[in-house]
Amino acid sequence: MSERPLREPAFLVLTALAGGPMHGYALVEDVLRLSDGQVRLHTGTLYGVLDRLREAGLIIVEREEIVDSRLRRYYALTDAGIARLAAEAERMRRNASAATARLRRLRPAEGTI
Amino acid sequence: MSRRDSPRTDGGARREPAAEALERRYRRLLAWYPHVYRAANADDMLGVALARSAPGRRWPEPGEAVNLTVSGIGERLGGMLRQPDRRDTAAVLAIAGPLLLAAGAMRTMASPFLFTPAIPALVTPERMLVTAVAFAAWWTLVALAGMLRWRRVAATGACLGLAGQVVLLVLAVSANDGALMVAYWQAAMALVTVTAALGSLRGQGRTLSWRAVTALAAAPAILAGRSAVETAFIRYTPRPGTFGTISDPLSGSERWLGVGLFAVALILTLTVIATLRPAVRRRAAVLLLPALLTTTLACWGFRGFVPAGPPIGLLALSPFHGQDLVLVPVIGVVAGFIVLQFYERLLRRGPGKPADAGLS
């Protein structure tokens, strides 16, 4: 995957998998928790994200289980995925710091108007 | 709604359990995904979709249904564009399409020299000529950008060209059949060109040599100018009180000259297609089939399109002449796609072939 910033669903999926291998529905639930109920991934979106992350080598299928006669696939971060998530988190932290610093300067000015 | 989905009205019959009904409907939604993708992921996806649903639901949530439909279609389209052969085919069409459109516009540019002053009723308005010059130049530049592998420029140019063709189509709705038919096919070709240009964005390498592109440009140019040769022999005899009469363009040696030029154009096109890699050649042949059918129909059935006038020719006498031109190419491309899919499936299943031999 190119070094373009990850989109929010992809970032949240990687963040969820940083907690350990998970299957599809567990990912949906964990992403919902991580985003404070803001992001509830649809099935099509989730699998689109998982496909792209797999193609980029950021995640792998760790194992497959049969539960209630239905396949359940567990996904896990790769080393490349861990590095990418760390880089992305750092990039977002820098952006957030810059925004916070600007807002701090903006607020006193607003008060003088 | 199918009969199986209709609510039961027989009262005594057993009602399908909600979980089963929901699963069946989700499976139906997953049918939007390609077969290969479904075989690998449908079970896993179904598990997630069912787990997301509230207990007792019989129908998928609307948002989930739309998401699966859109994602499935996206996967089908994306799957096409991810394969190098399909990207290469798109790159060929991204050059052939604009060349055909430029030739079509040139045909309009040539019309004043074809029909006037011989047939005053078919005078082409000046604004139509100016538009034709602009479109011919534009599509030539788009083809050139495609050839130089400036793929983003070509895709942007194709999108703008399509917008222009759609405007022409809207303006042509109130005009005569001939103008509408020309605008309709130019818009359809522009849509194919945009799809191809977008599909070839990630393409690498050159799919056509300059020599092949020259031949590919010559073929539609010959077809565009072919009517000029034929109509040059038409003799117009004015008669007082009437529009006058014209000599039969279908008789004499000029007819065979027209056939010869058509054959030259066809041979040039087939030669270019023959130089492509087999997997690209198959697809290009199928996708160029509608253009071939339309051209054949227009050239022989209608004696060419008359941009400023009504269709003329043998098929113009048929009450279905408009529908012929609309339906035949559409049926051609659908039939071509079905045959291609079937053929590639056979190749994939063929003995001793690798799993994706048909797509490589």
Side-chain angles (χ1 to χ4, degrees), chain A residues 32-99:
Chain A
L32 189 66
R33 253 193 315 275
L34 287 167
S35 63
D36 282 336
Q38 296 292 307
V39 179
R40 185 160 190 249
L41 293 173
H42 284 292
T43 310
T45 307
L46 172 69
Y47 280 83
V49 169
L50 290 173
D51 289 341
R52 282 194 293 277
L53 293 175
R54 276 172 73 184
E55 279 170 20
L58 303 182
I59 63 170
I60 51 165
V61 175
E62 194 217 26
R63 66 180 191 279
E64 290 177 345
E65 288 177 359
I66 303 292
V67 180
D68 295 335
S69 66
R70 189 166 286 134
L71 179 82
R72 183 179 277 182
R73 201 172 273 158
Y74 285 79
Y75 300 89
L77 278 182
T78 61
D79 289 343
I82 293 169
R84 184 66 202 276
L85 179 61
E88 195 66 17
E90 175 58 22
R91 187 188 67 78
M92 291 172 81
R93 191 194 61 72
R94 279 199 309 270
N95 287 351
S97 301

Side-chain angles (χ1 to χ4, degrees), chain A residues 25 40, chain B residues 18-19 22 26 48-61 64:
Chain A
Y25 184 60
R40 185 160 190 249
Chain B
L22 187 63
Y26 269 126
V48 174
L50 290 173
R52 281 180 99 264
S53 305
R57 273 195 83 94
R58 299 182 66 82
W59 289 87
E61 292 168 29
E64 184 76 348

Side-chain angles (χ1 to χ4, degrees), chain B residues 305-327:
Chain B
F305 290 121
V306 184
I312 56 169
L314 292 175
L315 286 179
L317 303 173
S318 147
F320 302 110
H321 64 265
Q323 292 87 328
D324 294 339
L325 277 176
V326 173
L327 288 179

